[in-house]
Amino acid sequence: MNFLLDESWQDIKEIAIYGFGKAAQGNIDSFIDQFNVINIIDNNKSYLGKDYRGVSIVNFDTWINDNCGEKIIIIAAGKALHSIKSTLCMAGKKEYIDFTDMDAFVNEWYWRFKGKICIGKVTTSVTTACTFNCQYCNMLMPYYKETKAYSCEMLCKDADMFFTLVDYVTSFVIIGGEPLIYKNLCSYLEYLGNRYGSRIANIQLITNGSILPSKELLNIVQKYNIEIRISDYTLTMPYESRLKKFVDMLENNQIKYIVFKQEEWLDFGFPHEKISMGETKEELREHMLNCHGMCHWLHNGKYYYCSSAWSANECGIFELQEGDYLRLDELVKTPLEGKEALLKFHIGELQHGYMSLCKYCRGFGDANNKTVKAGIQIKREGKSGK
């Protein structure tokens, strides 16, 4: 395995977290619990002068002027991650010596220095049915001719195989489609929380808030301290009163939640636009690693490098190659070797060097500067599944 972190990371006790935005909220707690977090760095003016769990939030100029020498872990994704890395490099900081991103840290540090497999984030889908039909959905929901609801038995078996190989997960994310459509959601969350809750820092449920949760669901979410992440599409869809009622129910039941106002999305290009992101193996690998979407995917006994690629294959508009995913049922037969194989795959050591869809998808990286209005609705074709 190709290690990146400098040896000076081995005995770290004090760190600074760079980023207090969408990616950080929900992940930062596990770092505060395990390390002495000196500062949280963020240039958003609304955070300045505040603190989180006793840790001061400061802007970058304040931090750098104080000559703080602690290692920095960046908790951000996509363009925000690349921007922060650029800022640190311009200030004379060196990647993997002075700073690294969260995914790289948890993947390498726990395995190399603690002998444990720690994954920053894994996502799974319980259904491809959705209450909306967004034209530029990165999960490609409009392209499903028939929506699918996955069996609770399959989802639980996936979790069993995954946690045979993985010791700890920072974020275990459950999405759809719209997950509140899924009739076995309570059973699945109960299984996941009861059996593996102690090995997951944060279970997250992503919803658009258009379906009100049942009392049973609220009880389970509260019981396992599940975080509700609400994608707010009220700029394009008229459901303000329903969304407000949804949020009120969460507040009344003291459930943690975050609302993300969806205004603008990146346009990945695929499948509505014919593009090429490179021709050589080297070009496509660089593009894949630059994307850094951190959307690794768990489904039906397989571990996929990319959620969009999984969905493109699932709905039948793209055929993945063998090296685009791992078969967990094979890895669990030899758990020690399987752990290392999964970690190598997770950090981008793929069979072909890159994932096959990368050639046709702009992704989250610097190569994508094309944006579209979020939540534009189009007519759904086909029929709903059972």
Side-chain angles (χ1 to χ4, degrees), residues 96-107:
Y96 307 124
I97 296 176
D98 302 308
F99 71 90
T100 189
D101 62 86
M102 181 189 76
D103 215 35
F105 174 78
V106 297
N107 296 158

Side-chain angles (χ1 to χ4, degrees), residues 22-23 25-27 121 170-175 189 200 202-206 226-229 258:
K22 180 178 178 180
Q25 296 176 34
N27 291 314
K121 176 182 175 183
T170 303
S171 297
F172 195 104
V173 184
I174 299 153
I175 68 171
L189 292 177
I200 304 171
N202 195 26
I203 301 175
Q204 297 173 348
L205 185 65
I206 298 182
I226 296 170
E227 180 183 84
I228 306 297
R229 294 198 156 205
I258 304 174

Side-chain angles (χ1 to χ4, degrees), residues 52-163:
Y52 179 75
R53 289 184 56 184
V55 181
S56 298
I57 303 174
V58 300
N59 63 26
F60 180 71
D61 288 340
T62 299
W63 183 85
I64 200 73
N65 287 335
D66 286 344
N67 296 312
C68 297
E70 64 268 12
K71 304 287 191 184
I72 300 171
I73 297 175
I74 306 169
I75 310 184
K79 290 186 179 298
L81 173 62
H82 294 290
S83 176
I84 292 171
K85 285 186 176 182
S86 177
T87 297
L88 289 168
C89 289
M90 289 176 65
K93 300 297 182 180
K94 296 181 180 180
E95 188 170 11
Y96 307 124
I97 296 176
D98 302 308
F99 71 90
T100 189
D101 62 86
M102 181 189 76
D103 215 35
F105 174 78
V106 297
N107 296 158
E108 181 176 329
W109 192 81
Y110 286 94
W111 176 248
R112 185 176 168 188
F113 301 126
K114 301 295 181 181
K116 295 183 180 295
I117 297 293
C118 181
I119 297 296
K121 176 182 175 183
V122 66
T123 306
T124 193
S125 171
V126 294
T127 181
T128 63
C130 192
T131 51
F132 298 157
N133 200 48
C134 302
Q135 182 175 4
Y136 295 99
C137 173
N138 73 334
M139 292 307 299
L140 307 171
M141 293 299 114
Y143 294 93
Y144 282 83
K145 294 181 178 179
E146 182 173 296
T147 58
K148 304 177 182 183
Y150 302 109
S151 74
C152 190
E153 180 182 7
M154 182 204 81
L155 294 168
C156 294
K157 186 176 180 181
D158 281 348
D160 291 340
M161 285 190 287
F162 181 75
F163 282 104

Side-chain angles (χ1 to χ4, degrees), residues 281 284 302-306 309-310 312-313 318-327 345 350-360:
K281 175 180 176 178
L284 293 170
K302 298 184 180 72
Y303 191 69
Y304 295 81
Y305 191 80
C306 170
W310 166 81
N313 184 82
F318 188 84
E319 186 174 355
L320 293 179
Q321 298 179 18
E322 186 75 19
D324 292 336
Y325 55 84
L326 295 178
R327 298 180 182 273
F345 179 85
L350 274 62
Q351 178 181 333
H352 303 292
Y354 62 93
M355 202 195 56
S356 56
L357 188 65
C358 289
K359 183 173 182 178
Y360 312 102

